[in-house]
Amino acid sequence: MFKEQLAAFSKAHWPAVLAAMTAAIAAWVAVRYAAQPLLEWEAFRQTQTALTSYWMIREGWQIPYQTPVLGYPWEIPYEFPIYQTIVAAIARLGGLHLDPVGRLVSFAFLLACAWPAFSTARRLELPPETAWIFSALLWSSPLYLFYGRAFLVETAAVFFTLAAIPYALDLRDSSPSWRSAFLFSAFASLAMLQKLFTAFPMLVVMLLVLLVSHLRTSRFAIPSWRRMAVVTTAFAIPFAFGGLWTRYADLIRGRNPYGALTTVATQSTYYLGTLADRFDLVLLKTIFWDRVVTRNAGGLVGAAVVIGALLLGDRRSKAILLVCLLLFALPVLLFIRVHHYLDYYQVSSAVFLAAAVAVATIVWSARTGGRRIAALLVLVMIGWNLFAFSRGYGRHVRKELSVGRTRALAVGDVIRRYTPPESGVVVFGLLVHEGPSHPVTTWSSEIAYYSERKALTVEDGFEPHVWHDPASFLGGKELGAIVVCAREDRARYNEVISRYSVRGEPRVYDVGECQVWLPEARSIVLEGGRTVIPRALMAPHP
């Protein structure tokens, strides 16, 4: 009876119409603001990703790849640069500006998530409308409307992760094919290489799904040797790729004086948090409830639909919902501290909440026969998503970011015009992250990227290690500029500037809320045509 109701539901066309509508809205946001500088929100990470692509274009592709923001050696790899390479290749071959290419490639990966959604729905014997509803909720959710067009690896990692799931479900067969094992391991390996924190929870859950499936069909019987070989190979390859790349990236980062402080071993608490964090109700509420549930996938209406389906659904539909919810929760629970600090990490998680709401809508509608009500509910959920976006991330998207108004653009413009192309720059006191949890003062790539210069960007806590001679961390490059963006006690950097001044009294320029020492300039002209006269060193910040 339930399958007949699902078949009847599948005759509806409204889910495809709503998905097309949300795709059009998301595309308008992505294209309309494609040329916006990468500074509206999480600028430190967007420009870090873009910096890698920029130097791929300028100096060629290599492993280890360059992200020249923390001084020499310039290689501080984190993820394997799949997304960065695609962006660099398109920008270089097309002679296009990097910022919009990166944003639109990210958006293309977001749209591509519909393909694995349909493949997964087919394997779970759900009507294709499930995938349409999922796509509509995904493309309209604030997290994805914003981060789906950001210069980040997030949507690429999500796509590869979702693409692996249908082939993991194929491995439930008593005699799974090597083709499914190969495709699963290929997509899962790409996902692990692109972002381990996104892919690893999926691998854990899919292993659990296969174990439960075997216990339900064969109880405690030992699987055939062939089946064990196929499944083991399918999972061992992505785990190996992820582990080997993580170890390699740690070794390369360890060659950089600051990068050595960012390895997985030294930053384990930052990523994983503590056991107490996982029982901190305030922290859990902030991540799950405040940032994700109430703003994405239909908000409270979506949550109510899921609860209703858990009550109304049959055993099989409840199992699907529980797996979706586990996939939603596990990334946060495994890497809770970094999820607390950075809201873009929830891109790896909220996608499965959208999947749960989509499945729940199908289950609820099939049980009650309320297809029209279901259509109205989905429309309301999309409307809520768009409203939440306009009140939240939409304000960042609509920011006016110009050279005259934005620190990184103003400083970058001056450095490009008044320093030698092959010189390096040193940046102090850059507050980089005023994110959802609390401000984090650390290094950022925004000035390094928009100045188009290799840089040493010094975190406050790392200053004692470079204070005696920061220029020595530029790998032999000529020191083209020193930038000070500190909010307090700017005058203390006079000591460093004076150390490198050989032509009379050193002078600095006020540029975009920062102060810039340019050894060769006697005056500068800003973007709007205003001439800036230098003054002797820096006065204390008022």
Side-chain angles (χ1 to χ4, degrees):
M1 181 65 178
F2 185 52
K3 287 187 177 180
E4 294 174 357
Q5 292 169 328
L6 285 179
F9 185 87
S10 68
K11 296 178 181 179
H13 300 292
W14 57 265
V17 173
L18 291 180
M21 179 187 73
T22 56
I25 293 171
W28 182 86
V29 173
V31 175
R32 167 66 177 80
Y33 298 99
Q36 186 182 43
L38 312 175
L39 302 169
E40 74 273 51
W41 189 244
E42 303 292 14
F44 85 103
R45 194 56 172 96
Q46 290 201 65
T47 53
Q48 179 187 333
T49 309
L51 191 64
T52 295
S53 294
Y54 173 81
W55 287 98
M56 281 183 182
I57 295 173
R58 185 159 168 176
E59 296 190 355
W61 193 91
Q62 64 185 55
I63 292 294
Y65 59 89
Q66 296 186 61
T67 310
V69 62
L70 293 181
Y72 185 85
W74 308 113
E75 300 87 3
I76 50 166
Y78 285 87
E79 65 277 346
F80 190 84
I82 301 170
Y83 165 80
Q84 295 93 321
T85 300
I86 294 171
V87 173
I90 293 172
R92 182 172 185 176
L93 292 174
L96 303 171
H97 193 273
L98 201 54
D99 290 9
V101 172
R103 290 188 182 280
L104 293 177
V105 169
S106 178
F107 182 67
F109 273 114
L110 179 67
L111 291 181
C113 290
W115 168 64
F118 279 94
S119 297
T120 301
R122 184 169 61 253
R123 285 163 171 80
L124 294 176
E125 299 180 355
L126 294 169
E129 283 68 25
T130 314
W132 287 122
I133 295 173
F134 162 77
S135 298
L137 294 173
L138 179 72
W139 297 334
S140 63
S141 290
L143 266 174
Y144 300 96
L145 272 174
F146 182 79
Y147 287 119
R149 32 76 61 196
F151 205 126
L152 295 171
V153 305
E154 309 307 313
T155 53
V158 167
F159 168 75
F160 293 132
T161 299
L162 293 180
I165 290 176
Y167 302 106
L169 296 176
D170 289 344
L171 300 178
R172 296 175 299 170
D173 294 344
S174 59
S175 182
S177 69
W178 281 105
R179 175 181 178 275
S180 294
F182 170 77
L183 290 171
F184 171 77
S185 65
F187 282 116
S189 296
L190 289 171
M192 288 285 280
L193 290 170
Q194 186 66 94
K195 188 163 186 177
L196 182 144
F197 300 123
T198 298
F200 181 80
M202 178 274 294
L203 289 173
V204 173
V205 173
M206 288 300 104
L207 272 175
L208 180 61
V209 167
L210 293 181
L211 176 61
V212 171
S213 176
H214 174 74
L215 292 175
R216 289 186 59 192
T217 56
S218 305
R219 303 185 73 80
F220 292 99
I222 298 176
S224 67
W225 285 107
R226 181 185 181 281
R227 186 181 186 188
M228 286 193 291
V230 170
V231 173
T232 300
T233 302
F235 280 86
I237 292 174
F239 276 124
F241 270 115
L244 290 172
W245 173 258
T246 299
R247 177 58 179 160
Y248 173 77
D250 272 1
L251 290 173
I252 299 300
R253 290 205 304 279
R255 302 188 309 184
N256 182 289
Y258 185 85
L261 303 178
T262 69
T263 62
V264 172
T266 58
Q267 293 286 303
S268 59
T269 301
Y270 170 75
Y271 292 117
L272 300 175
T274 64
L275 182 61
D277 288 335
R278 290 159 176 81
F279 295 93
D280 186 336
L281 296 182
V282 174
L283 188 152
L284 293 172
K285 175 181 177 294
T286 296
I287 300 173
F288 283 114
W289 185 256
D290 296 341
R291 292 192 203 156
V292 181
V293 174
T294 60
R295 301 179 186 178
N296 301 275
L300 297 180
V301 176
V305 169
V306 171
I307 294 172
L310 288 172
L311 296 175
L312 293 174
D314 61 2
R315 184 176 179 180
R316 184 172 173 277
S317 63
K318 289 179 181 179
I320 295 172
L321 284 171
L322 290 175
V323 171
C324 288
L325 293 176
L326 181 59
L327 286 165
F328 163 56
L330 193 59
V332 178
L333 295 178
L334 286 177
F335 310 110
I336 191 165
R337 188 70 66 85
V338 72
H339 272 269
H340 183 220
Y341 291 151
L342 304 171
D343 62 344
Y344 66 82
Y345 265 69
Q346 281 92 78
V347 171
S348 66
S349 176
V351 60
F352 296 108
L353 178 62
V357 176
V359 172
T361 301
I362 296 294
V363 171
W364 184 87
S365 301
R367 282 295 185 190
T368 62
R371 283 185 291 171
R372 292 181 179 178
I373 297 176
L376 179 61
L377 279 175
V378 175
L379 189 61
V380 168
M381 289 189 286
I382 292 172
W384 172 257
N385 287 346
L386 297 177
F387 173 75
F389 174 74
S390 68
R391 295 289 297 274
Y393 289 116
R395 293 178 296 178
H396 300 299
V397 171
R398 297 188 295 269
K399 278 184 180 178
E400 183 180 346
L401 299 170
S402 62
V403 172
R405 291 174 172 263
T406 309
R407 174 183 64 187
L409 296 179
V411 173
D413 174 68
V414 167
I415 292 175
R416 285 196 310 274
R417 290 190 288 118
Y418 291 98
T419 65
E422 296 303 318
S423 64
V425 299
V426 175
V427 184
F428 290 102
L430 197 60
L431 178 68
V432 305
H433 180 56
E434 300 179 67
S437 55
H438 56 77
V440 178
T441 305
T442 185
W443 54 274
S444 171
S445 299
E446 57 193 85
I447 288 177
Y449 176 62
Y450 283 108
S451 69
E452 299 177 5
R453 301 291 185 268
K454 294 186 177 181
L456 168 65
T457 304
V458 186
E459 181 184 6
D460 293 353
F462 200 67
E463 281 187 3
H465 300 279
V466 304
W467 190 261
H468 65 288
D469 188 11
S472 66
F473 290 80
L474 296 178
K477 285 186 171 293
E478 174 188 354
L479 177 60
I482 294 177
V483 181
V484 177
C485 299
R487 294 182 175 182
E488 299 177 355
D489 195 18
R490 287 182 174 178
R492 72 191 186 91
Y493 296 100
N494 292 340
E495 176 186 341
V496 177
I497 291 173
S498 298
R499 195 175 300 145
Y500 298 106
S501 299
V502 295
R503 296 185 180 181
E505 185 178 17
R507 297 178 181 274
V508 298
Y509 300 86
D510 293 314
V511 182
E513 300 179 358
C514 298
Q515 293 178 311
V516 183
W517 172 71
L518 299 166
E520 301 297 329
R522 293 295 173 260
S523 66
I524 63 173
V525 179
L526 299 183
E527 172 74 10
R530 181 170 64 91
T531 299
V532 178
I533 304 300
R535 57 187 176 83
L537 294 179
M538 289 179 282
H541 190 265

